[in-house]
Amino acid sequence: MPPQPSEPQVRKTILKFLQSFWGIIRILQIVFGAGLWVTIAANKYEGSIHFVLFVAVLFWLLTLALFFITVLDKQDLVPLLGGERWLSTNLAHDVAAAVLYLPAIGVMIYKTDRNSYCNLEQYKHLCLYKVYLTAAVFACMCCLAYLLSVVYGACRKCKGEQTVI
């Protein structure tokens, strides 16, 4: 069994990642993704909103896993995807997230537009307009964070780098 790194070295690695672009963008992805699915799940939803909720929760969990694996510097323990393939794995994850968030944004914009009639003070029934509008903003912010991550990861991959940190 290889020797374990000392505690100050582990703390230094964690701080280095959290202060890097990857660390900051992953935290933003986690926060915006949580905001999206909590906004939707806390209210009544139906139909195509299930797809948005699926995308939000799936990529929130996957991003959380990538974040903690990278923070703990355990990429080498992930079979097939870790080690020198870790940057490619992160890039593939971010591309898939950005691609699936685009139709989710479309669904949220459509639902927001369909419920815009009830955004009047005189309307007394349940109105999901503000919920859908908030979720659409969170979906856009998530997609933007994943797109930034794709561009940054692609630039690093083109330079021949193989590590996230």
Side-chain angles (χ1 to χ4, degrees):
M1 185 168 174
Q4 296 294 321
S6 64
E7 187 176 323
Q9 185 179 359
V10 170
R11 186 171 292 142
K12 187 186 246 185
T13 304
I14 290 172
L15 287 176
K16 182 180 176 186
F17 175 69
L18 293 177
Q19 293 171 350
S20 71
F21 178 82
W22 281 108
I24 293 167
I25 204 75
R26 286 286 183 237
I27 290 170
L28 289 175
Q29 291 165 351
I30 291 166
V31 169
F32 293 145
L36 173 58
W37 72 260
V38 166
T39 300
I40 293 171
N43 293 284
K44 182 182 174 191
Y45 59 93
E46 81 290 331
S48 55
I49 299 294
H50 288 94
F51 171 75
V52 178
L53 194 59
F54 168 75
V55 169
V57 172
L58 173 70
F59 284 105
W60 183 77
L61 289 171
L62 289 174
T63 303
L64 210 55
L66 288 176
F67 177 77
F68 282 115
I69 289 170
T70 306
V71 161
L72 298 174
D73 201 23
K74 299 296 183 188
Q75 306 84 286
D76 296 332
L77 299 178
V78 181
L80 300 175
L81 303 174
E84 60 189 40
R85 295 186 191 111
W86 193 242
L87 182 60
S88 298
T89 300
N90 278 270
L91 189 56
H93 164 267
D94 294 339
V95 167
V99 166
L100 286 175
Y101 263 108
L102 289 174
I105 291 170
V107 167
M108 291 314 308
I109 290 172
Y110 173 77
K111 286 291 196 175
T112 302
D113 186 50
R114 295 271 305 187
N115 284 280
S116 62
Y117 67 89
C118 69
N119 193 26
L120 303 170
E121 288 183 30
Q122 296 84 12
Y123 194 80
K124 301 295 181 205
H125 301 288
L126 176 66
C127 178
L128 295 176
Y129 174 77
K130 291 180 182 176
V131 171
Y132 290 157
L133 182 62
T134 304
V137 169
F138 274 125
C140 288
M141 298 301 288
C142 278
C143 189
L144 180 64
Y146 283 110
L147 285 172
L148 284 173
S149 187
V150 166
V151 170
Y152 182 72
C155 289
R156 290 194 59 182
K157 187 72 175 160
C158 288
K159 289 180 183 178
E161 296 179 30
Q162 302 207 355
T163 61
V164 173
I165 298 178

